[in-house]
Amino acid sequence: MKSVNLFLLACMICASCAQQGNFRGKMSEFTESDATKEVTPRVVKIDSLHSRTFVVVDSLAIFYETLTRSHSFQVFNINNGKEVGRYCPIGHGNGEYMALSPISAIENHGGLKTLLYAPNESKRMVWDITESIKQNTTVMSDIRDFSAKEGSSSSSISFMCGIGKDSVIVKLPATPIPNSEGIIPARYQIRKLSTNEVLSEIQLFENLENLDKIEGGVIMPGSFYSSFFSLKPDKSKFVETMMYLPQINIVDISTGKAHGYKLQNYPENTLEEKDFGKIMGYYVAAQSTDSNIFALFCGTTLPNASDGFDILHVYDWDGNMINKVKLKNPVHSIWLDSKNSLLYGLNANENDLYCYKVSDLVAEKE
């Protein structure tokens, strides 16, 4: 298992903070819900070491990046905890890619399939998970060039997620402003899958400028607005939960309009802060159903968060916090299996998964 210290190191590298005035959408503030549910999970045994980033769909748990770095994905059967296989070989050879994007969604159309992106080769492809398991080899289809595009001020794509038959949403990482001491924050684009044509762009925060006047801070400006993404299953909206702001942003994909919802009574991080021990962590993962958003919450300084996070904030898609959930076992990442309405959690220090019924996580409305 990867040491949890790598997580803290990544947080130091990717730390982000923000000021409310830089948000481009409508902003609302609210107090944290007092309603708290305590839940006990079912433990799902996994019979091998694996990485932290994972997805679960029905009887399969798919972990991103095998620890041997030989393949991008390692698949397990959660009914018996046994490894099914390793897929998507890493390398420069035929059918190999140096890196693939993490899985953002899995569709079931005549078998389990997912859209992937290879940033080094600037290609997108469909990984047929079902056929790969049947044939015991990686089965890819619809492999096409898909660059970050000239003039986009970005050299890569962070992730890609299908939102229609011929449309995808991609995230471009933060990039320097040419000939300026500034940063363009990470932003989203809606593109045609077949032609890579940019249909629209959504930038939620204003550019960061005059960064040469800030010296010695532990937060890197390029990761100023680090966040976690979850697409509403009906694909009409997405939520962005902020790592270093006590804030979530809900975006209507068709209009590009965004609404931020900020927790009151929590301190904000600053780029000037020189002590990493004072950097607050907020949302560290997000999953959703058509009714609710489940956001894993830190709410403390990062050095105190190495053991995992045991609080979920449950929202509806209008930005209302319904309740909090106190998890019996702290976790570092979560995934929602929509087919079976189960939320899984993983602690980076352990092999096993924790499984919760979604219905047990949401408080009944009074």
Side-chain angles (χ1 to χ4, degrees), residues 273-291:
E273 180 58 62
K274 296 178 175 61
D275 184 355
F276 178 68
K278 295 181 180 180
I279 299 297
M280 292 288 293
Y282 290 108
Y283 291 109
V284 294
Q287 290 290 292
S288 61
T289 65
D290 277 328
S291 301

Side-chain angles (χ1 to χ4, degrees), residues 44-119:
V44 177
K45 295 290 185 180
I46 301 295
D47 193 27
S48 177
L49 294 177
H50 48 72
S51 63
R52 172 188 300 163
T53 305
F54 75 105
V55 306
V56 176
V57 54
D58 201 9
S59 63
L60 300 178
I62 306 172
F63 293 87
Y64 178 61
E65 290 188 348
T66 56
L67 299 186
T68 61
R69 291 295 297 148
S70 62
H71 294 75
S72 288
F73 299 101
Q74 186 177 15
V75 181
F76 290 85
N77 184 325
I78 62 173
N79 293 326
N80 58 25
K82 302 298 183 181
E83 182 177 320
V84 175
R86 303 182 183 193
Y87 305 95
C88 306
I90 295 172
H92 294 286
N94 185 34
E96 297 179 339
Y97 299 95
M98 287 305 300
L100 290 172
S101 60
I103 294 172
S104 55
I106 294 178
E107 303 285 347
N108 192 348
H109 301 300
L112 300 176
K113 299 177 182 179
T114 187
L115 184 65
L116 298 175
Y117 180 70

